[in-house]
Amino acid sequence: MNKILQINTSLHQDSATSSQLADQLARRLMNQHSGDLIKRDLGELDIPHLSAEQHAGFSLPREQRSPAQKQAAQLSDTLIQELRDSDTIIIGLPLYNFGIPSALKAWIDHVARAGETFNYTSEGPKGTLTGKQVYVIATRGGQYAGTDSDLQTPYLQQVLGFIGLDQVKFIYAEGLAMGDLRDQSIAEAKIEISKLAA
């Protein structure tokens, strides 16, 4: 059975194109593999950005953590366990000011933890979340894929690979703010999604 973790990251939650395309892929994969789905909407979850105190608490024994550190660690543990339990991860990703949504950055800061999702070794850091397929549904108002202005793709490949998620497939829906290109781009993304889940 395929266990799917869907992470929607748009401020506009379910009404966002990235969320709707991610929903489409999740439904198709569920129908194909009769899997279980965990859906995280980061626009709704409102993951806090880490403070220095909270970040320091990750490396402390549980009994030595302050209340704020315990709360942050508990959320981090939950989000990491969702990744561990999943076989497939779907990320709905809009483009904000050439980067990823701040909610996704907060999620990354909670799941990229030494001793949990990566370990330092004599050969360098090694991610622990291996053997999982990641699909990123990237929606943009302009056209950036394959250009120097696409800062999302290399960043996500780097940070996801750092924690062991190195099987990453990007599906782009671009030109969504460029008039007639919008419908065509969304249609092409849907076709690609249908092929992935065929």
Side-chain angles (χ1 to χ4, degrees), residues 118-127 162:
F118 70 93
N119 295 305
Y120 290 111
T121 73
S122 58
E123 299 175 352
K126 299 288 185 182
F162 187 78

Side-chain angles (χ1 to χ4, degrees), residues 98-117:
F98 297 97
I100 66 172
S102 61
L104 180 58
K105 181 58 168 66
W107 178 86
I108 289 169
D109 290 342
H110 277 76
V111 302
R113 283 175 57 187
E116 296 289 344
T117 55

